[in-house]
Amino acid sequence: MKLGWDLKKGLNWFLTAWKNWDDPSPGDFTRSTLHTNNPEEVMWKGTTQYYRSGPWDGIGFSGIPSVSSDSNTNYTIVSNKDEFYITYSLIDKSLISRVVMNQTRYARQRLAWNIDSQTWRVSSELPTDFCDQYNICGAFGICVIGQAPACKCLDGFKPKSPRNWTQMSWNQGCVHNQTWSCRKKGRDGFNKFSNVKVPDTRRSWVNANMTLDECKNKCWENCSCTAYANSDIKGGGSGCAIWFSDLLDIRLMPNAGQDLYIRLAMSETEIITGIEGKNNKSQQEDFELPLFDLASIAHATNNFSNDNKLGEGGFGPVYKGILPYGQEVAVKRLSETSRQGLKEFKNEVMLCAELQHRNLVKVLGCCIQDDEKLLIYEYMANKSLDVFLFDSSQGKLLDWPKRFCIINGIARGLLYLHQDSRLRIIHRDLKASNVLLDNEMNPKISDFGLARMCGGDQIEGKTSRVVGTYGYMAPEYAFDGIFSIKSDVFSFGVLLLEIVSGKKNRLFSPNDYNNLIGHAWRLSKEGKPMQFIDTSLKDSYNLHEALRCIHIGLLCVQHHPNDRPNMASVVVSLSNENALPLPKNPSYQLNDIPTERESSSNTSLSVNDVTTSMLSGR
Ligand code: AMP
């Protein structure tokens, strides 16, 4: 089968869908081949372009990762003075396959004959997903499946109409953040975007014999050139494709696609490539999350209805929402009376944009409109850890293997914050209600409103405004306002003891010791640590692991920060058999908050688990 052009007769070979299953007259879905020197297949719905495959990149079509030279289909592009077409043959000739155009959303289907069942089986369909819709994000936009909203402007570009963009009307696309001056040395440059389906090739040019450097120079010389890439990605890449004017229909192709180099003003290329070394404040404030429109979030949450309410933290209620294409989200609505001001909100937005780890809750975007400040998170189906841990019936759902996975996940998330992320982050409010659980009970640390960023070598800070949650606060922080990664380690130790015992540190009040830490310390000293383990775990627990967790917990809550381990050694100790040091006396007298501080703060001092702040008397 040939899809393309008989140049002598001026004929175009293309496929047309039937009007419907019973009516073979032409429908309006068609599929044809573009006659350019960088050809690609396109689909139309009437006169509107519906889809394009992306050009052949030497291995497959740039926008169809499944079509590669090692699949069962051999594609050939024939171009001579008489004909220009794309054709294919099957490598395994014993297989029977056909391609069909349908008058449906999945306009192009490949069907394979199943000999056993004597039926046709759909082996692939196009378009495959939301981002396959032609040019859905407009010029200089990029579509990312799994992100909400799916469209964003390429780095270095901003929405042409911010208002329309926030209303998810993306067709006007994006424009340069800054104008660039053609070929002025030091004034324009190129940025590399990896794993993309390259833009529409109608306004492009190809030379198969050039190197990438020659390609860059070719683009540099032409003031209309907006991007360049290798035309063939086999064996490290060769050839040159350059694009002119607007770049249309780019999408991210995880684990596929290719590198595209886009022309930008030099200051933009510096910002983007400079992210690795980003540590100055003004640059951090430039970092933005996708902006959502208030109307669309109100719609998604059923107008912030009570039925959609998932919970309420110190900063306001959290609602479940469903975005237009079905993605579930959680929306934190900063209440007017909330203690999280604009500063804390921006802090959370900025940190969340930067932090990415499987044990940190992902923030998808934010909304600051009218008097509303909203944060949009990935939805965590099992809400927060405290819901399970401190409820006698729900607690039974958390057997020991799950609890141990949760402990390990929290430890890895905190290690990332302290050590592995580009920013050194001190969370300052780690507690059971700030650990969210996804549908498989994987833990993710949330709530970065109080988190603080430290410079590369800085390991502690001091504040006159002590914020956090009693029961989890390290003594040097509660009494002197000194926070450090070791004050987070203290909170982790408390959480660890709570997970093993199923009891809240703050509310625990056995006769002679006033909290859970003291109880764990006493039982361990008396050689009875087993009595500390949650009785609802019955036989599900691994005694060795549980005792080791109590030991690590007690090491983390030691009075002096220097005695506490860092998170790297906690992570190692949790999974190793290495000998652990003996813990020193813990800080279980923490509830004895000094009187003058009590009098300087409000009545919320006697509270339980709500994040609170108090002004120190300094
Ligand atoms: P926070 O203000 O972050 O402490 O959240 C308050 C409560 O809302 C939590 O304890 C959870 O029960 C719920 N919640 C917060 N974020 C999410 C989320 N991403 N998915 C599901 N529930 C959430």
PDB file of all heavy atoms in Angstrom, residues 167-189:
ATOM      1  N   GLN A 167      -7.740  29.763  31.672  1.00  0.00           N
ATOM      2  CA  GLN A 167      -9.055  29.135  31.484  1.00  0.00           C
ATOM      3  C   GLN A 167      -8.940  27.896  30.602  1.00  0.00           C
ATOM      4  O   GLN A 167      -9.922  27.396  30.068  1.00  0.00           O
ATOM      5  CB  GLN A 167     -10.034  30.139  30.885  1.00  0.00           C
ATOM      6  CG  GLN A 167     -10.465  31.148  31.933  1.00  0.00           C
ATOM      7  CD  GLN A 167     -11.209  32.335  31.362  1.00  0.00           C
ATOM      8  OE1 GLN A 167     -11.403  32.438  30.154  1.00  0.00           O
ATOM      9  NE2 GLN A 167     -11.608  33.226  32.238  1.00  0.00           N
ATOM     10  N   MET A 168      -7.731  27.424  30.440  1.00  0.00           N
ATOM     11  CA  MET A 168      -7.427  26.217  29.678  1.00  0.00           C
ATOM     12  C   MET A 168      -7.806  26.345  28.211  1.00  0.00           C
ATOM     13  O   MET A 168      -8.186  25.368  27.563  1.00  0.00           O
ATOM     14  CB  MET A 168      -8.091  24.981  30.291  1.00  0.00           C
ATOM     15  CG  MET A 168      -7.590  24.721  31.686  1.00  0.00           C
ATOM     16  SD  MET A 168      -7.966  23.073  32.198  1.00  0.00           S
ATOM     17  CE  MET A 168      -7.493  23.107  33.898  1.00  0.00           C
ATOM     18  N   SER A 169      -7.762  27.567  27.718  1.00  0.00           N
ATOM     19  CA  SER A 169      -7.944  27.781  26.294  1.00  0.00           C
ATOM     20  C   SER A 169      -6.548  28.121  25.769  1.00  0.00           C
ATOM     21  O   SER A 169      -6.065  29.241  25.921  1.00  0.00           O
ATOM     22  CB  SER A 169      -8.940  28.924  26.091  1.00  0.00           C
ATOM     23  OG  SER A 169      -8.910  29.333  24.772  1.00  0.00           O
ATOM     24  N   TRP A 170      -5.895  27.101  25.202  1.00  0.00           N
ATOM     25  CA  TRP A 170      -4.459  27.217  24.954  1.00  0.00           C
ATOM     26  C   TRP A 170      -4.096  27.561  23.508  1.00  0.00           C
ATOM     27  O   TRP A 170      -2.919  27.672  23.188  1.00  0.00           O
ATOM     28  CB  TRP A 170      -3.763  25.890  25.318  1.00  0.00           C
ATOM     29  CG  TRP A 170      -3.941  25.478  26.741  1.00  0.00           C
ATOM     30  CD1 TRP A 170      -3.588  26.196  27.842  1.00  0.00           C
ATOM     31  CD2 TRP A 170      -4.487  24.252  27.241  1.00  0.00           C
ATOM     32  NE1 TRP A 170      -3.867  25.490  28.991  1.00  0.00           N
ATOM     33  CE2 TRP A 170      -4.424  24.292  28.644  1.00  0.00           C
ATOM     34  CE3 TRP A 170      -5.027  23.117  26.637  1.00  0.00           C
ATOM     35  CZ2 TRP A 170      -4.877  23.246  29.450  1.00  0.00           C
ATOM     36  CZ3 TRP A 170      -5.469  22.076  27.441  1.00  0.00           C
ATOM     37  CH2 TRP A 170      -5.398  22.148  28.827  1.00  0.00           C
ATOM     38  N   ASN A 171      -5.129  27.645  22.616  1.00  0.00           N
ATOM     39  CA  ASN A 171      -4.772  27.682  21.196  1.00  0.00           C
ATOM     40  C   ASN A 171      -3.997  28.925  20.760  1.00  0.00           C
ATOM     41  O   ASN A 171      -3.336  28.913  19.735  1.00  0.00           O
ATOM     42  CB  ASN A 171      -6.002  27.460  20.302  1.00  0.00           C
ATOM     43  CG  ASN A 171      -7.093  28.433  20.625  1.00  0.00           C
ATOM     44  OD1 ASN A 171      -6.919  29.258  21.522  1.00  0.00           O
ATOM     45  ND2 ASN A 171      -8.207  28.356  19.918  1.00  0.00           N
ATOM     46  N   GLN A 172      -4.012  29.984  21.566  1.00  0.00           N
ATOM     47  CA  GLN A 172      -3.200  31.152  21.186  1.00  0.00           C
ATOM     48  C   GLN A 172      -1.722  30.940  21.477  1.00  0.00           C
ATOM     49  O   GLN A 172      -0.874  31.701  21.033  1.00  0.00           O
ATOM     50  CB  GLN A 172      -3.679  32.397  21.931  1.00  0.00           C
ATOM     51  CG  GLN A 172      -4.949  32.986  21.322  1.00  0.00           C
ATOM     52  CD  GLN A 172      -5.458  34.101  22.191  1.00  0.00           C
ATOM     53  OE1 GLN A 172      -5.991  33.861  23.268  1.00  0.00           O
ATOM     54  NE2 GLN A 172      -5.273  35.322  21.745  1.00  0.00           N
ATOM     55  N   GLY A 173      -1.436  29.915  22.248  1.00  0.00           N
ATOM     56  CA  GLY A 173      -0.048  29.523  22.465  1.00  0.00           C
ATOM     57  C   GLY A 173       0.761  30.489  23.318  1.00  0.00           C
ATOM     58  O   GLY A 173       0.208  31.262  24.107  1.00  0.00           O
ATOM     59  N   CYS A 174       2.076  30.456  23.102  1.00  0.00           N
ATOM     60  CA  CYS A 174       3.003  31.190  23.969  1.00  0.00           C
ATOM     61  C   CYS A 174       3.928  32.065  23.122  1.00  0.00           C
ATOM     62  O   CYS A 174       4.100  31.831  21.924  1.00  0.00           O
ATOM     63  CB  CYS A 174       3.861  30.208  24.766  1.00  0.00           C
ATOM     64  SG  CYS A 174       2.879  28.946  25.603  1.00  0.00           S
ATOM     65  N   VAL A 175       4.508  33.036  23.801  1.00  0.00           N
ATOM     66  CA  VAL A 175       5.463  33.936  23.133  1.00  0.00           C
ATOM     67  C   VAL A 175       6.729  34.014  23.989  1.00  0.00           C
ATOM     68  O   VAL A 175       6.706  33.677  25.175  1.00  0.00           O
ATOM     69  CB  VAL A 175       4.868  35.352  22.957  1.00  0.00           C
ATOM     70  CG1 VAL A 175       3.759  35.359  21.927  1.00  0.00           C
ATOM     71  CG2 VAL A 175       4.365  35.900  24.290  1.00  0.00           C
ATOM     72  N   HIS A 176       7.817  34.493  23.395  1.00  0.00           N
ATOM     73  CA  HIS A 176       9.079  34.643  24.127  1.00  0.00           C
ATOM     74  C   HIS A 176       8.880  35.471  25.390  1.00  0.00           C
ATOM     75  O   HIS A 176       8.200  36.494  25.351  1.00  0.00           O
ATOM     76  CB  HIS A 176      10.106  35.383  23.257  1.00  0.00           C
ATOM     77  CG  HIS A 176      10.831  34.502  22.304  1.00  0.00           C
ATOM     78  ND1 HIS A 176      11.901  33.729  22.678  1.00  0.00           N
ATOM     79  CD2 HIS A 176      10.640  34.261  20.983  1.00  0.00           C
ATOM     80  CE1 HIS A 176      12.345  33.052  21.632  1.00  0.00           C
ATOM     81  NE2 HIS A 176      11.595  33.348  20.586  1.00  0.00           N
ATOM     82  N   ASN A 177       9.487  35.058  26.509  1.00  0.00           N
ATOM     83  CA  ASN A 177       9.499  35.887  27.714  1.00  0.00           C
ATOM     84  C   ASN A 177      10.183  37.208  27.421  1.00  0.00           C
ATOM     85  O   ASN A 177       9.804  38.253  27.909  1.00  0.00           O
ATOM     86  CB  ASN A 177      10.309  35.200  28.822  1.00  0.00           C
ATOM     87  CG  ASN A 177       9.456  34.222  29.595  1.00  0.00           C
ATOM     88  OD1 ASN A 177       8.231  34.295  29.550  1.00  0.00           O
ATOM     89  ND2 ASN A 177      10.112  33.319  30.291  1.00  0.00           N
ATOM     90  N   GLN A 178      11.256  37.117  26.636  1.00  0.00           N
ATOM     91  CA  GLN A 178      12.031  38.310  26.291  1.00  0.00           C
ATOM     92  C   GLN A 178      12.274  38.293  24.798  1.00  0.00           C
ATOM     93  O   GLN A 178      12.409  37.232  24.213  1.00  0.00           O
ATOM     94  CB  GLN A 178      13.393  38.273  26.974  1.00  0.00           C
ATOM     95  CG  GLN A 178      13.312  38.331  28.469  1.00  0.00           C
ATOM     96  CD  GLN A 178      14.693  38.360  29.082  1.00  0.00           C
ATOM     97  OE1 GLN A 178      15.663  38.693  28.411  1.00  0.00           O
ATOM     98  NE2 GLN A 178      14.769  37.999  30.333  1.00  0.00           N
ATOM     99  N   THR A 179      12.373  39.484  24.209  1.00  0.00           N
ATOM    100  CA  THR A 179      12.691  39.496  22.789  1.00  0.00           C
ATOM    101  C   THR A 179      14.159  39.140  22.622  1.00  0.00           C
ATOM    102  O   THR A 179      14.975  39.418  23.487  1.00  0.00           O
ATOM    103  CB  THR A 179      12.459  40.884  22.181  1.00  0.00           C
ATOM    104  OG1 THR A 179      13.080  41.825  23.027  1.00  0.00           O
ATOM    105  CG2 THR A 179      10.986  41.183  22.015  1.00  0.00           C
ATOM    106  N   TRP A 180      14.501  38.521  21.518  1.00  0.00           N
ATOM    107  CA  TRP A 180      15.904  38.207  21.302  1.00  0.00           C
ATOM    108  C   TRP A 180      16.379  38.917  20.061  1.00  0.00           C
ATOM    109  O   TRP A 180      15.615  39.172  19.132  1.00  0.00           O
ATOM    110  CB  TRP A 180      16.137  36.700  21.217  1.00  0.00           C
ATOM    111  CG  TRP A 180      15.306  35.988  20.199  1.00  0.00           C
ATOM    112  CD1 TRP A 180      14.073  35.473  20.393  1.00  0.00           C
ATOM    113  CD2 TRP A 180      15.647  35.732  18.839  1.00  0.00           C
ATOM    114  NE1 TRP A 180      13.602  34.910  19.255  1.00  0.00           N
ATOM    115  CE2 TRP A 180      14.561  35.052  18.271  1.00  0.00           C
ATOM    116  CE3 TRP A 180      16.756  36.004  18.044  1.00  0.00           C
ATOM    117  CZ2 TRP A 180      14.545  34.643  16.962  1.00  0.00           C
ATOM    118  CZ3 TRP A 180      16.735  35.583  16.734  1.00  0.00           C
ATOM    119  CH2 TRP A 180      15.640  34.921  16.210  1.00  0.00           C
ATOM    120  N   SER A 181      17.632  39.294  20.062  1.00  0.00           N
ATOM    121  CA  SER A 181      18.185  40.015  18.923  1.00  0.00           C
ATOM    122  C   SER A 181      18.948  39.032  18.070  1.00  0.00           C
ATOM    123  O   SER A 181      19.867  38.378  18.555  1.00  0.00           O
ATOM    124  CB  SER A 181      19.146  41.092  19.399  1.00  0.00           C
ATOM    125  OG  SER A 181      18.549  41.816  20.423  1.00  0.00           O
ATOM    126  N   CYS A 182      18.552  38.978  16.816  1.00  0.00           N
ATOM    127  CA  CYS A 182      19.131  37.979  15.922  1.00  0.00           C
ATOM    128  C   CYS A 182      20.649  38.130  15.795  1.00  0.00           C
ATOM    129  O   CYS A 182      21.154  39.206  15.487  1.00  0.00           O
ATOM    130  CB  CYS A 182      18.477  38.102  14.560  1.00  0.00           C
ATOM    131  SG  CYS A 182      19.037  36.845  13.431  1.00  0.00           S
ATOM    132  N   ARG A 183      21.341  37.049  16.040  1.00  0.00           N
ATOM    133  CA  ARG A 183      22.788  36.897  15.793  1.00  0.00           C
ATOM    134  C   ARG A 183      23.671  37.890  16.531  1.00  0.00           C
ATOM    135  O   ARG A 183      24.832  38.015  16.225  1.00  0.00           O
ATOM    136  CB  ARG A 183      23.092  36.982  14.299  1.00  0.00           C
ATOM    137  CG  ARG A 183      22.853  35.679  13.577  1.00  0.00           C
ATOM    138  CD  ARG A 183      23.607  35.649  12.275  1.00  0.00           C
ATOM    139  NE  ARG A 183      23.325  36.774  11.451  1.00  0.00           N
ATOM    140  CZ  ARG A 183      22.507  36.765  10.418  1.00  0.00           C
ATOM    141  NH1 ARG A 183      21.904  35.656  10.078  1.00  0.00           N
ATOM    142  NH2 ARG A 183      22.294  37.848   9.708  1.00  0.00           N
ATOM    143  N   LYS A 184      23.123  38.636  17.479  1.00  0.00           N
ATOM    144  CA  LYS A 184      24.007  39.509  18.257  1.00  0.00           C
ATOM    145  C   LYS A 184      24.745  38.605  19.228  1.00  0.00           C
ATOM    146  O   LYS A 184      24.114  37.934  20.049  1.00  0.00           O
ATOM    147  CB  LYS A 184      23.202  40.558  19.023  1.00  0.00           C
ATOM    148  CG  LYS A 184      22.535  41.548  18.107  1.00  0.00           C
ATOM    149  CD  LYS A 184      23.233  42.907  18.245  1.00  0.00           C
ATOM    150  CE  LYS A 184      22.773  43.892  17.189  1.00  0.00           C
ATOM    151  NZ  LYS A 184      21.352  44.111  17.155  1.00  0.00           N
ATOM    152  N   LYS A 185      26.069  38.602  19.112  1.00  0.00           N
ATOM    153  CA  LYS A 185      26.835  37.692  19.952  1.00  0.00           C
ATOM    154  C   LYS A 185      26.503  37.930  21.419  1.00  0.00           C
ATOM    155  O   LYS A 185      26.428  39.059  21.862  1.00  0.00           O
ATOM    156  CB  LYS A 185      28.332  37.888  19.723  1.00  0.00           C
ATOM    157  CG  LYS A 185      28.976  36.579  19.325  1.00  0.00           C
ATOM    158  CD  LYS A 185      30.464  36.660  19.314  1.00  0.00           C
ATOM    159  CE  LYS A 185      31.097  35.297  19.354  1.00  0.00           C
ATOM    160  NZ  LYS A 185      30.344  34.198  18.838  1.00  0.00           N
ATOM    161  N   GLY A 186      26.251  36.873  22.144  1.00  0.00           N
ATOM    162  CA  GLY A 186      25.937  37.003  23.559  1.00  0.00           C
ATOM    163  C   GLY A 186      24.484  37.400  23.813  1.00  0.00           C
ATOM    164  O   GLY A 186      24.086  37.575  24.943  1.00  0.00           O
ATOM    165  N   ARG A 187      23.709  37.601  22.738  1.00  0.00           N
ATOM    166  CA  ARG A 187      22.324  38.030  22.969  1.00  0.00           C
ATOM    167  C   ARG A 187      21.297  36.945  22.672  1.00  0.00           C
ATOM    168  O   ARG A 187      20.180  37.004  23.131  1.00  0.00           O
ATOM    169  CB  ARG A 187      22.011  39.271  22.118  1.00  0.00           C
ATOM    170  CG  ARG A 187      22.811  40.491  22.481  1.00  0.00           C
ATOM    171  CD  ARG A 187      22.355  41.115  23.795  1.00  0.00           C
ATOM    172  NE  ARG A 187      20.995  41.627  23.717  1.00  0.00           N
ATOM    173  CZ  ARG A 187      20.684  42.783  23.176  1.00  0.00           C
ATOM    174  NH1 ARG A 187      21.619  43.561  22.680  1.00  0.00           N
ATOM    175  NH2 ARG A 187      19.449  43.194  23.152  1.00  0.00           N
ATOM    176  N   ASP A 188      21.626  35.969  21.854  1.00  0.00           N
ATOM    177  CA  ASP A 188      20.709  34.840  21.713  1.00  0.00           C
ATOM    178  C   ASP A 188      21.476  33.527  21.687  1.00  0.00           C
ATOM    179  O   ASP A 188      22.668  33.481  21.407  1.00  0.00           O
ATOM    180  CB  ASP A 188      19.752  34.998  20.528  1.00  0.00           C
ATOM    181  CG  ASP A 188      20.419  34.895  19.170  1.00  0.00           C
ATOM    182  OD1 ASP A 188      21.635  35.097  19.109  1.00  0.00           O
ATOM    183  OD2 ASP A 188      19.722  34.615  18.194  1.00  0.00           O
ATOM    184  N   GLY A 189      20.753  32.483  22.050  1.00  0.00           N
ATOM    185  CA  GLY A 189      21.392  31.172  22.137  1.00  0.00           C
ATOM    186  C   GLY A 189      20.329  30.084  22.000  1.00  0.00           C
ATOM    187  O   GLY A 189      19.186  30.364  21.615  1.00  0.00           O
TER     188      GLY A 189
END
